[in-house]
Amino acid sequence: MGVEIRESPVSAEAFAEMEAFVHDYLAASVESEDDGGRMRWYPWHSAEYRFNHILNVVELSEEIAEAEGANVDVTRVAALFHDIAKLEVDQDLHAEEGARVTREYLTSHGDYPASFVDEVCAAVRDHSYQGELTDLPLETQCLIEADLLDKVGANGTALMLLRMGYESRTHIDAAEMVGRVLERGVDARDRVRSDTAESICHRRLKRVRWFKEWLEAEVADVEPEEAPGPPGGSD
C-alpha cells in the first residue's frame, strides 16, 4: 500500500497553478530553442501535445490511485510534473531533470511537508523505470501504469493515424498502423499490475481490436491479420 500523507492536501487552486506552470514551462522549452525545441519536428511531441498527454495521465493516475488505495495527492501531482522536462533534455535524462524542476517548484510554492515533496519527486524521477512495477511505491506504480495506458485505445489510435499522415502513408496502411497500437497495448497489459489498470487496459484493447477489424473489413487491399490476444486465449 502507498504511504498515507494526511497533512498535505493540495487545493484546487494550488493544483490549477501547478497546471499553468507546467503548461508554460513546456511552451518555453519549445520557444527557447532556435530549432523549435527538442522533438518539435514530430507534431505529436509539441508542447500542446505533451501537455495534453500529461492531463490524460493525471486523470488516469487519479482513477487508479483512488481505486487502489494510493495517496491521490502524491500521484496526481507527480503525474502533472512527470514529463515537464521532456522537451528540453534527452529522453534518458528527462525523468531526473523533471524531478529537479518539481522539487524546485514545490519548495518555493506553498508550504508542503518534506515527506510529500520527497514522495512526489521520487515518483517523477522513477516514472521511466523499466523493472517490475510492484518493486516501486504504489503511487509511482499508478503513475507508470497511467503513462502506459495513455498510449493505448482510441487516443493511441488517433495519434498513430496522425503519424500516418506525417509519414505520407495512405489509408491502405491504416490497419497495419493500428496493429502497432494493439501491440503496444498488449505490452502495456503484460506490464501493469493493479486490477484497475488491467481493467482499463482490457477495455481499451477491445476498442482497438474492433477498429482494426472494421478497417480490414472495409478497405479492399487490406489482408486481415490475427490480432495478438491475451495469454491463454481470447478475451
Side-chain angles (χ1 to χ4, degrees), residues 214-234:
W214 292 335
L215 285 170
E216 290 168 345
E218 295 181 15
V219 181
D221 288 345
V222 174
E223 291 293 332
E225 297 178 2
E226 184 177 347
S234 60

Side-chain angles (χ1 to χ4, degrees), residues 103-117:
R103 183 174 296 278
E104 185 175 288
Y105 180 92
L106 292 178
T107 54
S108 60
H109 294 74
D111 187 23
Y112 299 107
S115 58
F116 174 80
V117 175

Side-chain angles (χ1 to χ4, degrees), residues 16 21 30 51 59 76 85 88 111 124 127 132 162 167 209 217:
F21 173 79
V30 171
F51 186 64
E59 185 174 319
R76 69 186 183 123
E88 67 174 356
D111 187 23
V124 174
H127 84 270
E132 171 56 51
L162 171 64
E167 295 178 354
R209 287 195 182 98

Side-chain angles (χ1 to χ4, degrees), residues 18-35:
M18 292 179 192
E19 282 190 356
F21 173 79
V22 171
H23 178 275
D24 292 347
Y25 193 99
L26 291 168
S29 297
V30 171
E31 294 168 359
S32 65
E33 301 214 12
D34 293 338
D35 62 358

Side-chain angles (χ1 to χ4, degrees), residues 66-85:
E66 288 174 358
E68 297 297 325
N71 184 294
V72 177
D73 267 345
V74 169
T75 304
R76 69 186 183 123
V77 173
L80 184 58
F81 280 90
H82 83 281
D83 270 355
I84 193 169

